[in-house]
Amino acid sequence: MKIELTAVEKYYNRGAPNQVHALRTVDLSITSNETVCIHGPSGSGKSTLLAILGGIIGPTSGSAVVDGRKLARLPDRFLTLYRQQHIGFIFQRFRLIPELSVVENVTLPLLPLGIRPAERKRRGWDLLKRLEIGHRGDFLAAEISGGELQRAAVARALINDPSIIVADEPTAHLDTRLSEDFLSIMAELKDLGKTIIIASHDPLVSGNPIVDRCLYLRDGRLTAVPGPQ
Amino acid sequence: MAARYLDRQLNIADYALGGLTRRLGKNLVVVLVFALVIFMVASFSMTTTSLKHAASQLLTTVPDITVQKMSAGRQVGFSTEAIKELEFIFGIRSVQPRVWGYYFDENNGANYTVIGVTELGDKTQLAGLGIDFLPNLKTDAAFEPAVIGRGVRENLGLGNRRAFSLFRPDLSLKSFVTSATFDAETSMVTDDLIIMDLKAARDLFGLQADEITDLLVDVANPLEIDNIADNIGERLKGVRVVTRERIGKTYRVAFGWRSGFGLACLFGAVAAFFIFAWDKASGLTPAQQQEIAILKVLGWQTEDIITLRFWESVIISISAFGLGYLAAWIHLLFFNGLLFRPVLLGWSVVKPPLSLVPVFSFADLLIIFSLSVLPYLAATVIPAWHSATIRPDSVI
Ligand SMILES: Nc1ncnc2c1ncn2[C@@H]1O[C@H](COP(=O)(O)OP(=O)(O)O)[C@@H](O)[C@H]1O
Ligand SMILES: [Mg+2]
């Protein structure tokens, strides 16, 4: 899966007094099985960039092409199909539904795919066991710890077997040990051939050997920085 | 493809059910309020249907023409002499005298309907009661024989005894012996009924030797009923001549405006509920909005979210419908339409009184279903359209 952004601009509330120019002429090319870290202070546009790469929003102008398919100006319906098939999204604040059990949360993406309950459960439990939180599957999301929430969020992102993993500041709410656990999971996924894009200003992430390339965002502009640190 | 579509629907319906049980308290209130509305509408409609049915049943047993004497606007007794006047009217098949009165049992605070008849071989005399069988009144010579309703038997506390007494107007006692009891199957009319010989009824009420309260006229040709009724009115001064058609009209008029009035009141309740439902469906809590945005990021289409709302509404409205309709049926079956009968039918308005035999009407069920479940779906799914378009990036 090759991702190409060319001259991408993103405005929020364009033309209104509260207009925000969140991304400015962003050019970016990510090859298959590459792990890219997007570095930048808060408000620099990291989440916005990830949302465009993850097919959650479209750019205001410019082109976004994934595997030869144009994402820009694609109707919502097709963006959603793109997410279903290719994207595993890990939210900054995990965003599990607190009153659902962990395994129910993890299998949510499978419901609109028409996958039957037995098969859903099997896949959910398999994944939870692989991520070593099988013992928490029946707990409510509200009842588990931060590290467990992170693993559940990863499991949910992987349930539809996506080729691209997008993670928004995944270690911001984790201590060092849990952050390292997370990165070792990412390393396994990299070995499986996934493309991984992580937004983070955590040096633990940008300095990690799995990261092939680090990019720097400032005020919506993307620049390459010469390697970690 | 079709199988996958079905599986998707089932998955989302399953998720909807889960969501409803997670917020059980809140949703139960909605279901109960909705069920109450459906209960009222269904009860009202069932009671109306049953009353209409009872009225039409009753009309088939009403005599062609009933003749009563009026004085100062009230019904009074009159002499059997009147029968002779009617003998000359061509087209009358038979004329039967009857004493019809009410007896107030002070000891038990109960009211009984007393009917005195002459011949036992003629059903005309029992017309208007919906009674098919003819009791034998002449079994026991020592006491005056009577056929009584179950309610009378219970009020008098007879148990297995057969003899009982009633007071004449001068407070002397008149004794009876029961020759039969109307069984439970017969209508409510027979419950408070005492049928006795015409002479015994006169004695009990202190009437003159030839005094009666009604004449029941049977006409050979139905087309002639109105003419003959006019004719009777001319020959007998100061009488009220009531045809079967007139009684039917009284029922229809009474039902007409009463059920219209009732429906108008209920319509208010129904409309209020749907506005409430619409309002509730339009405003989502931040938690609900966040849930929708998360689901969308995870690959749920806008139509999947609407489908989710649709199944929630289906589950809520079907359970409310089932609950409300069942309650209405129980209300009619075991409580005789207690709540709505007075609205539909003041007891004083229609005589003879109607009893309620529950009548199941599939058409009614269908109408109530489509007037409750369908508008609820509309009132909740249409606003869901708007909320389903929440942008997924609101949770990033
Ligand atoms: N939905 C939105 N509507 C309006 N402005 C937004 C929205 N999302 C982000 N922004 C603005 O766009 C800019 C970039 O935000 P974001 O992409 O979240 O940056 P980061 O993730 O690096 O903190 C910020 O100024 C932010 O306030
Ligand atoms: Mg962010």
Side-chain angles (χ1 to χ4, degrees), chain A residues 42-43 45-48 92 168-169, chain B residues 396:
Chain A
S42 176
K46 299 185 298 295
S47 295
T48 304
Q92 186 169 348
D168 195 356
E169 307 203 30
Chain B
I396 297 170

Side-chain angles (χ1 to χ4, degrees), chain B residues 124-336:
Chain B
T124 330
Q125 294 184 323
L126 297 177
L129 296 175
I131 298 166
D132 279 337
F133 85 107
L134 285 166
N136 179 5
L137 295 183
K138 296 284 188 197
T139 44
D140 214 317
F143 292 86
E144 204 70 73
V147 183
I148 63 173
R150 251 177 12 126
V152 179
R153 171 180 280 281
E154 277 161 23
N155 275 319
L156 291 172
L158 285 188
N160 289 326
R161 285 175 293 120
R162 296 176 63 210
F164 66 96
S165 306
L166 302 175
F167 289 102
R168 297 190 185 87
D170 64 6
L171 298 186
S172 60
L173 276 172
K174 180 169 178 61
S175 299
F176 294 89
V177 64
T178 60
S179 60
T181 306
F182 296 113
D183 59 19
E185 305 274 308
T186 45
S187 69
M188 256 201 29
V189 182
T190 60
D191 212 47
D192 70 340
L193 195 62
I194 305 175
I195 294 180
M196 58 184 68
D197 182 70
L198 187 63
K199 291 195 190 76
R202 282 188 188 125
D203 184 19
L204 179 67
F205 288 129
L207 302 179
Q208 305 291 317
D210 65 343
E211 199 174 345
I212 53 171
T213 60
D214 309 81
L215 282 178
L216 311 179
V217 180
D218 189 21
V219 173
N221 178 0
L223 295 175
E224 287 293 312
I225 291 178
D226 283 339
N227 283 339
I228 293 173
D230 288 347
N231 209 333
I232 295 173
E234 278 164 26
R235 276 169 192 264
L236 299 174
K237 291 299 156 204
V239 298
R240 176 168 71 174
V241 185
V242 186
T243 61
R244 184 193 290 124
E245 176 60 23
R246 269 272 304 282
I247 296 175
K249 216 178 251 168
T250 317
Y251 288 151
R252 277 194 293 277
V253 168
F255 284 154
W257 82 263
R258 279 160 180 279
S259 80
F261 176 76
L263 277 178
C265 293
L266 285 180
F267 182 77
V270 172
F273 178 77
F274 288 140
I275 290 166
F276 156 78
W278 177 285
D279 195 53
K280 187 175 161 291
S282 310
L284 292 180
T285 64
Q288 286 174 307
Q289 288 176 10
Q290 190 180 331
E291 181 177 336
I292 293 173
I294 291 172
L295 292 175
K296 291 186 92 168
V297 172
L298 297 180
W300 288 49
Q301 296 280 9
T302 299
E303 72 207 47
D304 294 326
I305 304 291
I306 294 167
T307 306
L308 173 62
R309 290 287 107 82
F310 170 78
W311 283 117
E312 282 174 1
S313 296
V314 166
I315 294 166
I316 285 183
S317 56
I318 298 276
S319 12
F321 177 79
L323 212 63
Y325 201 83
L326 191 72
W329 190 245
I330 289 171
H331 169 238
L332 183 66
L333 205 60
F334 298 106
F335 298 94
N336 248 294

Side-chain angles (χ1 to χ4, degrees), chain A residues 12-13 20 22 41-49 168-169, chain B residues 391 393:
Chain A
Y12 289 108
N13 311 314
V20 177
S42 176
S44 58
K46 299 185 298 295
S47 295
T48 304
L49 183 56
D168 195 356
E169 307 203 30
Chain B
R391 291 161 44 128
D393 60 312

Side-chain angles (χ1 to χ4, degrees), chain A residues 77 83-84 112 115 120, chain B residues 8 11 290 296 299 303 395:
Chain A
R77 214 193 136 66
R83 291 201 297 276
Q84 280 182 0
I115 298 186
R120 260 178 8 231
Chain B
R8 198 176 91 201
N11 282 350
Q290 190 180 331
K296 291 186 92 168
E303 72 207 47
V395 281

Side-chain angles (χ1 to χ4, degrees), chain B residues 14-34:
Chain B
D14 186 35
Y15 186 71
L17 187 62
L20 290 177
T21 45
R22 272 187 278 134
R23 295 180 285 265
L24 191 63
K26 239 197 268 155
N27 291 306
L28 211 57
V29 172
V30 176
V31 169
L32 289 180
V33 172
F34 194 15

